[in-house]
Amino acid sequence: MRISSIDRTEQRELQLVANLRSFLSSRALDVSAIIGQASNLYPGSSYQLFTSSPVQGLATSTSDVDIILLLPGGQPDGMATQFYLNGAHCEVVALGIEDIEHALSMIGALAASSVIENFGAIDNWNSLTKVSRKYLERVVNGVSSDATVPFARSLAPLASVWAAQALQRLIDDIIALQLSIAANEVRAPVAYALAAVSNAMDVMLCARGFVYSNKKWILSRWRNDGRLALEGTVVEKMHRQLGDLHGKLRSRLGHSIDVEIYMQVMQILPSLAALLFGQAHVGGLDNIVLRADLKTMDLGKGSAVALTGEQFIFPSLDLPYSATRSLQDLASTEASEARGLLALMRANLLVTQLIT
């Protein structure tokens, strides 16, 4: 299955440019002065891009002016340099143009791949490219000093891949929700359900071309663009439903989850499947494989795990562990097994794999 995203490139270009102009005008900031000072720090740049909340229309009175300069001849150190101009805090990052082009070619290939291939590439992103997802996203949405969006050609493929990224987080939230219920935890299910709703919003926004992965802005993006994102789709009514559900869950934080609210959360994935893959795949986001083995788990560069006493830490599980399960049925997992799986998941030691 491949994610079906909407190409809103032309509309988004206009919107990003208009957002930046509004931001700069509200701060009485001069484009040439900002770019001039940034370019003095990193001479010879091929592109000078305004990025982040000012171009997304989400900037507040205290927001930084974020700038990315793209330099030829390999990647600079990638460290942020800061300066002040007319009272505005400006942050500049320099990246290599060749590294950006390589990362963008990867995004193009992933957008034409299956959602499962997207999941695997996202998990291993840092080993595949020098450019972090954060900065790649900013470059693609970046507005240049001449009021254009130089990398707009990559907006549509980025939207598709970033929707897969949010979908992966959503599936993990549903797994954790189900296991926390099976483990008889009282407060955790509400927190996991709330995270699931937020990531569902992000999936829908990304799939419809509204890409900005900073988690703190998801609800604001949903309020600003959610209605437009779902307009004319099979899940158009979900704009209000998800907003209401988010509010109900926030009011339940610290308490047990309401059965009716829980049932609404569990209907999110089937609805998303209809939006992303078509009605024929409504049941295609259910079966998963769970795997864990402390002895063979790749924990990433520079990290480690103590193997001593693993049966004491996870007494309810025999490792290695592997099982194919239905997302809908995970809540009926035996309590001691669910507690062990949750412990692994919270330690980032549980591998989850969707089967389509």
Side-chain angles (χ1 to χ4, degrees):
M1 297 189 297
R2 290 192 328 187
I3 286 182
S4 174
S5 62
I6 296 297
D7 188 347
R8 295 184 182 273
T9 300
E10 186 175 348
Q11 300 96 311
R12 285 296 286 161
E13 280 189 85
L14 294 173
Q15 189 176 27
L16 293 168
V17 171
N19 289 339
L20 177 63
R21 282 176 172 161
S22 176
F23 170 79
L24 293 174
S25 175
S26 70
R27 296 281 194 92
L29 294 171
D30 180 67
V31 170
S32 59
I34 295 173
I35 295 302
Q37 189 154 339
S39 297
N40 287 336
L41 296 170
Y42 298 99
S45 59
S46 303
Y47 296 92
Q48 307 87 35
L49 305 172
F50 289 92
T51 71
S52 197
S53 57
V55 302
Q56 295 287 346
L58 297 167
T60 68
S61 60
T62 59
S63 293
D64 295 341
V65 180
D66 293 296
I67 304 147
I68 292 179
L69 301 183
L70 301 185
L71 303 175
Q75 170 153 341
D77 58 19
M79 297 294 290
T81 303
Q82 304 174 33
F83 65 87
Y84 283 86
L85 187 67
N86 294 340
H89 179 249
C90 303
E91 187 170 284
V92 187
V93 172
L95 302 173
I97 183 65
E98 292 86 355
D99 296 329
I100 292 293
E101 293 291 356
H102 174 259
L104 291 178
S105 69
M106 286 177 50
I107 289 293
L110 284 173
S113 304
S114 72
V115 67
I116 300 300
E117 290 172 305
N118 273 238
F119 287 175
I122 290 167
D123 282 340
N124 296 293
W125 182 265
N126 290 338
S127 66
L128 300 173
T129 176
K130 296 179 181 178
V131 183
S132 70
R133 288 175 286 178
K134 168 186 171 180
Y135 285 126
L136 182 63
E137 172 190 290
R138 291 188 176 190
V139 166
V140 172
N141 285 280
V143 178
S144 69
S145 54
D146 62 356
T148 62
V149 184
F151 297 92
R153 68 185 185 278
S154 295
L155 280 169
L158 183 77
S160 177
V161 177
W162 259 228
Q165 175 180 272
L167 179 61
Q168 185 173 25
R169 292 195 302 268
L170 168 60
I171 290 172
D172 283 343
D173 291 335
I174 296 294
I175 293 171
L177 166 62
Q178 293 287 70
L179 290 175
S180 64
I181 289 174
N184 299 315
E185 296 189 346
V186 177
R187 293 173 293 181
V190 172
Y192 288 128
L194 186 60
V197 171
S198 294
N199 280 315
M201 292 174 173
D202 197 24
V203 173
M204 293 182 181
L205 285 163
C206 289
R208 313 305 285 181
F210 300 89
V211 178
Y212 189 43
S213 62
N214 192 320
K215 291 181 181 179
K216 72 177 182 180
W217 294 116
I218 290 177
L219 192 57
S220 295
R221 289 166 55 218
W222 187 251
R223 289 168 179 158
N224 293 347
D225 300 318
R227 188 179 301 279
L228 178 60
L230 300 187
E231 189 175 39
T233 71
V234 294
V235 291
E236 189 169 355
K237 293 180 179 179
M238 286 193 73
H239 175 258
R240 174 177 238 175
Q241 291 171 350
L242 282 184
D244 291 345
L245 189 54
H246 192 278
K248 291 176 182 176
L249 283 164
R250 288 188 65 177
S251 70
R252 295 292 304 172
L253 284 171
H255 303 280
S256 61
I257 194 166
D258 178 84
V259 174
E260 182 180 349
I261 292 176
Y262 164 75
M263 296 301 294
Q264 291 178 43
V265 173
M266 293 305 296
Q267 284 301 309
I268 290 175
L269 272 179
S271 298
L272 276 181
L275 174 68
L276 300 177
F277 310 110
Q279 291 285 357
H281 295 286
V282 167
L285 297 176
D286 187 48
N287 290 325
I288 55 167
V289 175
L290 305 177
R291 294 195 183 94
D293 184 357
L294 293 184
K295 292 184 175 66
T296 61
M297 182 66 64
D298 179 8
L299 300 180
K301 184 178 179 181
S303 60
V305 62
L307 299 183
T308 304
E310 66 181 50
Q311 294 306 315
F312 173 76
I313 300 171
F314 308 111
S316 57
L317 291 178
D318 292 326
L319 300 176
Y321 178 94
S322 181
T324 301
R325 308 291 292 273
S326 162
L327 276 175
Q328 297 293 329
D329 296 337
L330 270 179
S332 61
T333 303
E334 196 273 327
S336 61
E337 181 184 2
R339 285 192 290 271
L341 290 171
L342 271 175
L344 286 167
M345 194 170 195
R346 288 164 176 164
N348 200 29
L349 298 176
L350 185 67
V351 177
T352 60
Q353 179 183 339
L354 181 69
I355 302 174
T356 61

